[in-house]
Amino acid sequence: MIDFPFAVKVFMALFAIMNPIANVPVFLSFTQGVPDSARRKVATTVSIGVAVGCILSAVAGGPLLHVFGLQVDDFRLAGGLLVLLIALSMLHGSASTQQAPTNDENAAIAQADSIAIYPLTIPLLVGPGTIATLIVLGHTAVQDGQEIAMALGLGAFLAVMTCALMLAPLLGHYLSPKITAITQRLMGMILAAIAMQMMVQSLQAFFPKLI
């Protein structure tokens, strides 16, 4: 049986950390002055890149940790802390350095031939926080036999994100700075709750008799 609440959790976690609504203005700023055909090409490349990055993180993340002798519970605690830092940045209305290029990196962007992979795909959408979240969710899905629910939630998010990128010029007319700020803070609250859950689950695994 498909665990639809888990599918919804996957969708909301990805929506909160990648936040297509708040990133529409960012996408438009990076593609400013670009013809619509070229913009759609960039959106397609970003969508494919995000899909590949998400699937690899969810499927190969756990086995990769074992190569380094790490348990998922170890990574769940570190990932929870990382996601919490990103959430706090969102709540304060600022861009997290984990999910956005630094000033030095921004200087190199103007010289880049394509911005589809960097910085739009990595690190803006598939950053360390996204990867950490997907590794934990992927491990949970395998452990509970909910791979289909995981795929359903991931697929639904990728569809929404692709639509947001393709319709970015239209959505940009309706997304005022106030709406973007409210959405960013709301997603920050959801992301903070997810981060706390990740850390609590890790601590429960380490100290089963204390928590």
Side-chain angles (χ1 to χ4, degrees):
M1 180 179 293
I2 300 177
D3 187 353
F4 286 103
F6 181 73
V8 172
K9 178 181 178 180
V10 171
F11 177 87
M12 290 305 300
L14 295 177
F15 195 96
I17 198 164
M18 288 194 251
N19 201 349
I21 295 177
N23 279 320
V24 163
V26 179
F27 175 79
L28 291 175
S29 67
F30 276 114
T31 57
Q32 187 175 8
V34 174
D36 289 341
S37 59
R39 180 178 280 141
R40 285 192 295 270
K41 184 178 179 180
V42 172
T44 301
T45 303
V46 171
S47 299
I48 294 173
V50 171
V52 171
C54 288
I55 293 172
L56 285 177
S57 299
V59 174
L64 185 62
L65 290 180
H66 288 297
V67 171
F68 292 97
L70 298 173
Q71 300 296 322
V72 173
D73 286 322
D74 301 328
F75 191 78
R76 184 181 280 118
L77 180 58
L81 288 170
L82 176 61
V83 172
L84 181 60
L85 290 175
I86 295 172
L88 292 175
S89 296
M90 293 171 65
L91 288 171
H92 286 90
S94 58
S96 170
T97 55
Q98 286 84 13
Q99 296 285 116
T102 63
N103 291 333
D104 291 338
E105 291 170 336
N106 270 322
I109 289 173
Q111 303 173 3
D113 294 330
S114 174
I115 44 84
I117 300 301
Y118 176 84
L120 289 177
T121 300
I122 301 171
L124 188 64
L125 294 172
V126 186
T130 302
I131 295 172
T133 302
L134 282 165
I135 290 176
V136 172
L137 289 173
H139 176 265
T140 302
V142 172
Q143 193 175 44
D144 297 341
Q146 292 298 331
E147 292 90 342
I148 296 178
M150 175 77 186
L152 183 63
L154 176 58
F157 169 76
L158 291 174
V160 170
M161 187 204 66
T162 301
C163 290
L165 293 177
M166 292 294 183
L167 299 175
L170 177 63
L171 295 174
H173 291 296
Y174 299 98
L175 289 177
S176 65
K178 182 180 293 186
I179 294 176
T180 303
I182 292 173
T183 303
Q184 184 177 16
R185 284 165 174 78
L186 178 60
M187 294 300 104
M189 284 294 297
I190 295 175
L191 201 59
I194 293 172
M196 291 303 299
Q197 184 183 53
M198 291 169 62
M199 289 188 289
V200 168
Q201 288 176 344
S202 179
L203 292 174
Q204 285 175 333
F206 289 140
F207 308 105
K209 295 182 180 180
L210 298 180
I211 300 180

